[in-house]
């Protein structure tokens, strides 16, 4: 499975959770501190717009949905699922082999190719799938192959920063890989849904 295949599978998992969230739950708190589920979705939609701009070589100056931004939910209209799917379709349509060689400047990883950035986003998709699904009361089972790969990848970097990944949480003894992965990303997957 190559980078774009893994990325598409992570998007598919995210899409299933977005489609399952009841309309009245979008303004509920997410697992991301200070963000609602709508804000998390706004951040993800912003990321798709960033991918589209990098792939097409157009400048991208918006910080409306950047990590730690206030109120990224403003990017989501009355149809959260439709907004997400439109953003995904627009970005995916321009992910050509040539576009994947374009370079993006990132806070955490410096200058990397768009293909390398898709690896970052694959991990981001897994985390945010849980961030919006778990608080909404959904049973979020992330793709185990993706979890394994993203867990190994994420341990190679220092990802913790204000507005980014929080402190690592110690999972319970015997926790499964998904719980350990999420704990590494600062998420308590053992917490009960309220």
């Amino acid at each position: 499975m190559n980078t774009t295949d893994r990325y598409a599978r992570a998007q598919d998992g995210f899409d299933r959770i977005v489609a399952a969230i009841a309309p009245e739950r979008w303004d509920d708190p997410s697992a991301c501190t200070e963000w609602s589920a709508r804000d998390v979705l706004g951040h993800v939609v912003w990321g798709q717009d960033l991918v589209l701009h990098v792939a097409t070589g157009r400048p991208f100056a918006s910080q409306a949905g950047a990590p730690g931004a206030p109120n990224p939910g403003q990017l989501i209209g009355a149809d959260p699922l439709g907004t997400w799917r439109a953003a995904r379709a627009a970005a995916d349509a321009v992910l050509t082999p040539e576009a994947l060689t374009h370079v993006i400047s990132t806070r955490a990883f410096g200058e990397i190719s768009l293909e390398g950035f898709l690896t970052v986003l694959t991990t981001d998709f897994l985390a945010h799938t849980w961030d919006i699904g778990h608080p909404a009361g959904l049973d979020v089972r992330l793709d185990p192959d993706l979890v394994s790969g993203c867990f190994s990848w994420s341990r190679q970097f220092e990802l913790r920063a204000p507005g980014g990944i929080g402190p690592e949480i110690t999972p319970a003894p015997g926790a499964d890989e998904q719980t350990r992965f999420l704990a590494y990303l600062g998420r308590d997957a053992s917490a009960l849904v309220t």
Side-chain angles (χ1 to χ4, degrees):
M1 185 168 36
N2 65 28
T3 300
T4 53
D5 292 336
R6 289 190 294 273
Y7 176 67
R9 280 173 59 171
Q11 289 177 307
D12 290 344
F14 184 76
D15 185 88
R16 283 189 292 276
I17 292 299
V18 172
I21 292 180
E24 67 274 11
R25 301 297 301 259
W26 280 107
D27 292 311
D28 289 357
S30 76
C32 291
T33 305
E34 300 180 11
W35 274 0
S36 67
R38 182 181 304 276
D39 288 326
V40 174
L41 186 62
H43 163 68
V44 171
V45 165
W46 173 86
Q48 294 299 281
D49 198 28
L50 172 60
V51 168
L52 185 147
H53 278 73
V54 173
T56 56
R58 292 186 287 151
F60 185 74
S62 170
Q63 292 297 308
N71 192 28
Q74 65 185 307
L75 301 173
I76 304 302
D79 179 12
L81 180 61
T83 301
W84 145 247
R85 287 183 171 168
R88 177 188 180 177
D92 286 356
V94 295
L95 288 179
T96 64
E98 193 268 329
L100 293 175
T101 67
H102 293 183
V103 174
I104 179 172
S105 179
T106 68
R107 179 179 65 182
F109 308 101
E111 303 278 317
I112 59 172
S113 69
L114 181 55
E115 182 173 13
F117 189 60
L118 295 188
T119 299
V120 177
L121 290 182
T122 298
T123 300
D124 202 53
F125 271 116
L126 293 183
H128 292 321
T129 297
W130 190 85
D131 290 338
I132 63 172
H134 183 72
L138 302 174
D139 181 22
V140 180
R141 298 309 311 167
L142 303 174
D143 183 316
D145 291 336
L146 296 180
V147 167
S148 182
C150 289
F151 196 8
S152 295
W153 173 84
S154 63
R155 286 181 287 196
Q156 301 174 57
F157 303 99
E158 179 48 62
L159 303 174
R160 296 174 214 294
I165 294 173
E168 182 176 359
I169 294 170
T170 301
D176 65 11
E177 189 169 38
Q178 173 173 309
T179 301
R180 290 185 286 113
F181 167 64
L182 290 167
Y184 182 78
L185 298 180
R187 288 146 168 92
D188 186 0
S190 65
L192 298 175
V193 177
T194 57

